[in-house]
Amino acid sequence: MRNQLEEIRKSALENIKSADVLQDIETLRVKCLGKKGQLTSILKQMGKLSPEERPVIGQLANEIRAKIEQAIEEKTKEIKAHEQEKKLLAEKIDVTLPGKTVKMGSRHPLTVVLDDIKEIFVGMGFDIVDGPEVELDYYNFEALNIPKDHPARDTQDTFYITDNILLRTQTSPVQIRVMEQQKPPIRIISPGRVYRSDAVDATHSPVFHQIEGLVVDKGITFADLKGTLETFVKRLYGEDTVVRFRPHHFPFTEPSAELDVQCFNCHGEGCRLCKGEGWIEILGCGMVHPDVLRNGGIDPEEYSGFALGYGLERVCMRRYDIDDLRLFFENDVRFLKQFD
Ligand code: DAH
């Protein structure tokens, strides 16, 4: 029995020594010390021994168990340390390597122009307000003097959610919403997306942007409209810009006008840019119609106002000489990064 024990000690310690993964150590532990292990099965036969031999063998067996346990513990530590070292080595990073650079984006050209426009109006004391893109027929048409049978609806066909809810065709409904919520003096601009069921081509898109302007106060006259818009246009295009007001018609303003600037390319001679006209149409404007003031809850006997509506894409195309509207919405980075 003593020989058997010595044999177990020898082979176990050798195997432990040569093991190099934790799993092997565990297998060895079960094989030697486990319930059905070699050492246990020897101890079960102790009964066969003489009373003198029993304590001697018992002590030897305990000694061997302790030795093997110690060897297992040491080897386990060694393997763990080794694995840790391997892991650290594998995860080592070279902090001197150049980092990945974060690519800086740039403002969309429409945003660049809109930011300029906002800055000019804010400088003149205007607030910037938002309005819903999903709008009621009432605000988009009815309250702006465009009843169901009005021909102006033909040029502003849109996407209907129900008979009475639609995607707004213009930013003008914001005029009514602001007047309903705010007493004069009112001085706001409201930029945003508008929708029309137009087919896409180089100058049309079912989604585009407008900027609405509204001023309401006591004693506002056409002179205020002219002064404000001339100041705005000169700040945007340069002090030497020549403007003209041309009579026009909009259902929600009376009188109405369109503002043109003299073509900065040919100075009125007529060229490709202005299509031979010498003038470029910039925006629609006019004195707010008394019915529209009334629809906004404002007494036209006491107050008057002017409004303007402005197409952002057109201004932006002219500024950067962009000849296709679709470029704004295709999000090709090669196009977008040229402007800011
Ligand atoms: N809403 C008009 C359109 O989409 C533009 C417009 C013209 C707005 C004159 C105005 C205005 O506020 O006074 O064609």
Side-chain angles (χ1 to χ4, degrees):
M1 207 175 268
R2 182 184 289 272
N3 287 347
Q4 275 176 304
L5 283 173
E6 288 299 345
E7 192 51 43
I8 291 171
R9 181 205 316 247
K10 190 163 163 264
S11 77
L13 291 181
E14 267 171 18
N15 287 337
I16 291 168
K17 202 172 163 197
S18 62
D20 51 12
V21 289
L22 287 175
Q23 184 57 47
D24 290 354
I25 296 283
E26 179 58 16
T27 313
L28 280 169
R29 195 188 61 75
V30 175
K31 190 175 150 203
C32 300
L33 311 175
K35 268 190 202 151
K36 291 176 186 161
Q38 293 165 329
L39 209 55
T40 324
S41 64
I42 300 260
L43 291 175
K44 276 184 190 152
Q45 297 164 32
M46 293 269 281
K48 292 180 195 161
L49 297 172
S50 67
E52 300 86 54
E53 269 181 317
R54 225 175 276 160
V56 183
I57 294 295
Q59 198 188 349
L60 181 63
N62 282 339
E63 213 181 282
I64 291 176
R65 169 184 288 274
K67 261 269 162 359
I68 294 176
E69 277 173 350
Q70 191 192 351
I72 285 179
E73 195 181 321
E74 279 167 11
K75 191 66 182 182
T76 305
K77 269 194 199 151
E78 188 188 314
I79 292 176
K80 278 190 176 159
H82 185 64
E83 282 180 355
Q84 175 76 358
E85 201 176 316
K86 258 188 6 199
K87 201 168 155 213
L88 284 176
L89 224 56
E91 288 175 0
K92 198 169 94 175
I93 43 168
D94 182 352
V95 292
T96 65
L97 281 175
K100 285 183 188 151
T101 50
V102 179
K103 280 198 187 123
M104 275 292 271
S106 60
R107 284 184 302 166
H108 191 284
L110 292 176
T111 309
V112 175
V113 175
L114 179 57
D115 285 350
D116 287 354
I117 293 170
K118 280 183 187 167
E119 200 174 304
I120 296 169
F121 276 105
V122 168
M124 293 194 286
F126 283 64
D127 287 333
I128 298 168
V129 302
D130 234 352
E133 288 172 28
V134 179
E135 187 53 287
L136 294 172
D137 182 286
Y138 172 76
Y139 287 103
N140 194 78
F141 291 127
E142 209 79 29
L144 294 167
N145 280 346
I146 313 173
K148 285 263 188 294
D149 56 357
H150 197 286
R153 290 207 182 203
D154 293 346
T155 57
Q156 300 202 11
D157 191 18
T158 183
F159 304 92
Y160 283 83
I161 283 115
T162 67
D163 278 352
N164 281 319
I165 302 173
L166 44 80
L167 297 188
R168 67 177 180 186
T169 61
Q170 47 187 351
T171 44
S172 305
V174 181
Q175 291 186 28
I176 307 291
R177 289 186 173 274
V178 168
M179 287 191 280
E180 279 180 349
Q181 278 164 22
Q182 199 181 319
K183 289 286 140 252
I186 293 171
R187 238 182 272 121
I188 60 103
I189 59 162
S190 183
R193 259 180 235 121
V194 298
Y195 302 83
R196 294 192 190 174
S197 66
D198 288 337
V200 178
D201 65 24
T203 54
H204 292 88
S205 161
V207 190
F208 57 102
H209 297 78
Q210 286 187 343
I211 302 154
E212 196 73 15
L214 176 69
V215 172
V216 182
D217 204 352
K218 282 187 176 143
I220 297 289
T221 68
F222 205 89
D224 297 304
L225 179 157
K226 282 188 78 175
T228 308
L229 293 189
E230 210 170 317
T231 305
F232 162 63
V233 169
K234 287 188 167 171
R235 295 241 169 103
L236 191 64
Y237 293 111
E239 280 304 317
D240 53 353
T241 309
V242 183
V243 303
R244 80 173 179 193
F245 289 85
R246 193 166 30 81
H248 200 77
H249 171 263
F250 297 104
F252 37 86
T253 45
E254 180 57 38
S256 306
E258 277 195 325
L259 187 157
D260 299 341
V261 294
Q262 196 174 67
C263 178
F264 18 75
N265 192 40
C266 64
H267 300 286
E269 296 288 314
C271 68
R272 187 189 61 88
L273 191 67
C274 59
K275 300 198 182 90
E277 293 286 321
W279 295 87
I280 295 167
E281 177 198 319
I282 294 289
L283 53 83
C285 55
M287 300 307 290
V288 182
H289 194 290
D291 286 345
V292 173
L293 287 173
R294 231 172 261 124
N295 290 339
I298 289 174
D299 181 1
E301 299 297 328
E302 197 179 346
Y303 293 102
S304 55
F306 68 83
L308 63 122
Y310 195 51
L312 185 57
E313 278 79 1
R314 265 209 279 170
V315 185
C316 192
M317 286 170 85
R318 209 162 296 126
R319 177 187 293 193
Y320 295 118
D321 206 5
I322 295 165
D323 59 7
D324 195 326
L325 183 81
R326 287 168 286 204
L327 289 163
F328 288 131
F329 306 113
E330 282 166 356
N331 288 337
D332 185 330
V333 178
R334 291 168 302 176
F335 169 75
L336 295 177
K337 72 180 177 193
Q338 297 175 53
F339 302 96
D340 195 17

Short mmCIF file of all heavy atoms in Angstrom, two decimals, residues 156 169-172 175 196 210 212-213 250 252-253 284-286 307-310, ligand 1:
data_model
loop_
_atom_site.label_atom_id
_atom_site.label_comp_id
_atom_site.label_asym_id
_atom_site.label_seq_id
_atom_site.Cartn_x
_atom_site.Cartn_y
_atom_site.Cartn_z
N GLN A 156 -51.53 75.11 -55.62
CA GLN A 156 -50.99 74.65 -54.34
C GLN A 156 -51.62 73.32 -53.94
O GLN A 156 -52.08 73.14 -52.82
CB GLN A 156 -51.22 75.70 -53.25
CG GLN A 156 -50.55 77.02 -53.57
CD GLN A 156 -50.31 77.87 -52.35
OE1 GLN A 156 -50.44 77.44 -51.22
NE2 GLN A 156 -49.91 79.11 -52.58
N THR A 169 -48.82 73.97 -47.64
CA THR A 169 -48.25 74.33 -48.94
C THR A 169 -47.42 75.60 -48.84
O THR A 169 -46.76 76.00 -49.79
CB THR A 169 -49.36 74.59 -49.96
OG1 THR A 169 -50.16 75.68 -49.48
CG2 THR A 169 -50.24 73.37 -50.14
N GLN A 170 -47.51 76.28 -47.70
CA GLN A 170 -46.83 77.57 -47.52
C GLN A 170 -46.65 77.80 -46.02
O GLN A 170 -47.29 77.13 -45.20
CB GLN A 170 -47.67 78.69 -48.14
CG GLN A 170 -49.15 78.63 -47.74
CD GLN A 170 -50.02 79.63 -48.50
OE1 GLN A 170 -49.50 80.49 -49.21
NE2 GLN A 170 -51.32 79.54 -48.32
N THR A 171 -45.77 78.73 -45.68
CA THR A 171 -45.59 79.03 -44.25
C THR A 171 -46.59 80.08 -43.79
O THR A 171 -46.67 80.38 -42.60
CB THR A 171 -44.14 79.53 -43.98
OG1 THR A 171 -43.77 80.45 -45.00
CG2 THR A 171 -43.16 78.38 -43.94
N SER A 172 -47.41 80.60 -44.71
CA SER A 172 -48.37 81.65 -44.34
C SER A 172 -49.35 81.27 -43.20
O SER A 172 -49.76 82.16 -42.45
CB SER A 172 -49.14 82.11 -45.57
OG SER A 172 -48.24 82.54 -46.57
N GLN A 175 -48.94 82.82 -39.86
CA GLN A 175 -49.45 84.17 -39.57
C GLN A 175 -50.67 84.10 -38.65
O GLN A 175 -50.75 84.80 -37.64
CB GLN A 175 -49.90 84.88 -40.87
CG GLN A 175 -48.77 85.26 -41.80
CD GLN A 175 -49.30 86.08 -42.98
OE1 GLN A 175 -50.30 86.77 -42.86
NE2 GLN A 175 -48.61 86.02 -44.11
N ARG A 196 -45.76 70.48 -51.78
CA ARG A 196 -46.73 70.57 -52.88
C ARG A 196 -46.59 69.32 -53.71
O ARG A 196 -45.49 68.76 -53.83
CB ARG A 196 -46.46 71.81 -53.74
CG ARG A 196 -46.70 73.07 -52.94
CD ARG A 196 -46.75 74.33 -53.74
NE ARG A 196 -46.74 75.47 -52.80
CZ ARG A 196 -46.67 76.73 -53.15
NH1 ARG A 196 -46.60 77.06 -54.42
NH2 ARG A 196 -46.66 77.69 -52.24
N GLN A 210 -39.76 77.67 -47.06
CA GLN A 210 -40.14 79.08 -47.15
C GLN A 210 -39.81 79.78 -45.84
O GLN A 210 -39.65 79.14 -44.80
CB GLN A 210 -41.64 79.23 -47.40
CG GLN A 210 -42.07 78.88 -48.81
CD GLN A 210 -43.55 79.21 -49.06
OE1 GLN A 210 -44.32 79.38 -48.12
NE2 GLN A 210 -43.93 79.26 -50.31
N GLU A 212 -41.59 82.85 -43.73
CA GLU A 212 -42.70 83.78 -43.63
C GLU A 212 -42.28 84.94 -42.74
O GLU A 212 -41.50 84.75 -41.80
CB GLU A 212 -43.89 83.05 -42.98
CG GLU A 212 -45.21 83.75 -43.14
CD GLU A 212 -45.73 83.64 -44.58
OE1 GLU A 212 -45.21 82.80 -45.34
OE2 GLU A 212 -46.65 84.39 -44.93
N GLY A 213 -42.78 86.11 -43.04
CA GLY A 213 -42.53 87.23 -42.15
C GLY A 213 -43.86 87.91 -41.84
O GLY A 213 -44.74 87.98 -42.71
N PHE A 250 -51.98 88.48 -54.04
CA PHE A 250 -52.07 87.33 -53.14
C PHE A 250 -53.39 87.47 -52.40
O PHE A 250 -53.78 88.59 -52.05
CB PHE A 250 -50.91 87.31 -52.14
CG PHE A 250 -49.56 87.15 -52.77
CD1 PHE A 250 -48.70 88.23 -52.90
CD2 PHE A 250 -49.14 85.91 -53.27
CE1 PHE A 250 -47.45 88.09 -53.50
CE2 PHE A 250 -47.90 85.76 -53.86
CZ PHE A 250 -47.05 86.85 -53.98
N PHE A 252 -54.23 86.90 -49.44
CA PHE A 252 -54.17 87.27 -48.01
C PHE A 252 -53.50 88.62 -47.75
O PHE A 252 -53.30 89.00 -46.61
CB PHE A 252 -53.47 86.16 -47.21
CG PHE A 252 -52.32 85.52 -47.95
CD1 PHE A 252 -51.06 86.07 -47.91
CD2 PHE A 252 -52.54 84.40 -48.73
CE1 PHE A 252 -50.00 85.50 -48.61
CE2 PHE A 252 -51.49 83.82 -49.45
CZ PHE A 252 -50.23 84.37 -49.38
N THR A 253 -53.12 89.31 -48.84
CA THR A 253 -52.58 90.67 -48.66
C THR A 253 -53.28 91.63 -49.60
O THR A 253 -53.71 91.26 -50.70
CB THR A 253 -51.05 90.71 -48.94
OG1 THR A 253 -50.78 89.98 -50.14
CG2 THR A 253 -50.26 90.14 -47.79
N GLY A 284 -42.58 87.51 -52.26
CA GLY A 284 -43.93 88.06 -52.31
C GLY A 284 -44.21 88.79 -51.00
O GLY A 284 -43.70 88.40 -49.95
N CYS A 285 -45.00 89.85 -51.06
CA CYS A 285 -45.27 90.60 -49.84
C CYS A 285 -46.55 91.43 -49.99
O CYS A 285 -47.16 91.45 -51.06
CB CYS A 285 -44.09 91.51 -49.51
SG CYS A 285 -43.67 92.63 -50.87
N GLY A 286 -46.93 92.09 -48.94
CA GLY A 286 -48.11 92.94 -49.04
C GLY A 286 -48.61 93.34 -47.66
O GLY A 286 -48.08 92.90 -46.63
N ALA A 307 -46.80 91.47 -44.52
CA ALA A 307 -46.31 90.09 -44.50
C ALA A 307 -45.41 89.87 -45.70
O ALA A 307 -45.45 90.63 -46.68
CB ALA A 307 -47.49 89.12 -44.54
N LEU A 308 -44.58 88.83 -45.59
CA LEU A 308 -43.74 88.48 -46.74
C LEU A 308 -43.53 86.97 -46.77
O LEU A 308 -43.62 86.30 -45.74
CB LEU A 308 -42.38 89.17 -46.63
CG LEU A 308 -41.51 88.79 -45.44
CD1 LEU A 308 -40.18 88.25 -45.88
CD2 LEU A 308 -41.34 89.98 -44.52
N GLY A 309 -43.28 86.48 -47.96
CA GLY A 309 -43.02 85.04 -48.12
C GLY A 309 -41.90 84.85 -49.11
O GLY A 309 -41.85 85.50 -50.15
N TYR A 310 -41.02 83.92 -48.76
CA TYR A 310 -39.71 83.92 -49.36
C TYR A 310 -39.30 82.47 -49.58
O TYR A 310 -39.46 81.63 -48.68
CB TYR A 310 -38.84 84.58 -48.30
CG TYR A 310 -37.49 85.05 -48.68
CD1 TYR A 310 -37.31 85.85 -49.79
CD2 TYR A 310 -36.40 84.71 -47.91
CE1 TYR A 310 -36.06 86.31 -50.11
CE2 TYR A 310 -35.15 85.17 -48.22
CZ TYR A 310 -34.98 85.96 -49.32
OH TYR A 310 -33.76 86.42 -49.62
N1 DAH B 1 -47.40 82.10 -49.33
C1 DAH B 1 -47.06 82.63 -50.62
C2 DAH B 1 -46.72 81.50 -51.57
O1 DAH B 1 -46.41 80.43 -51.15
C3 DAH B 1 -45.91 83.59 -50.51
C4 DAH B 1 -46.30 84.87 -49.85
C5 DAH B 1 -46.63 85.98 -50.62
C6 DAH B 1 -46.34 85.01 -48.47
C7 DAH B 1 -46.99 87.17 -50.06
C8 DAH B 1 -46.69 86.21 -47.89
C9 DAH B 1 -47.01 87.30 -48.71
O2 DAH B 1 -46.74 86.39 -46.57
O3 DAH B 1 -47.35 88.47 -48.13
O4 DAH B 1 -46.74 81.73 -52.75
#
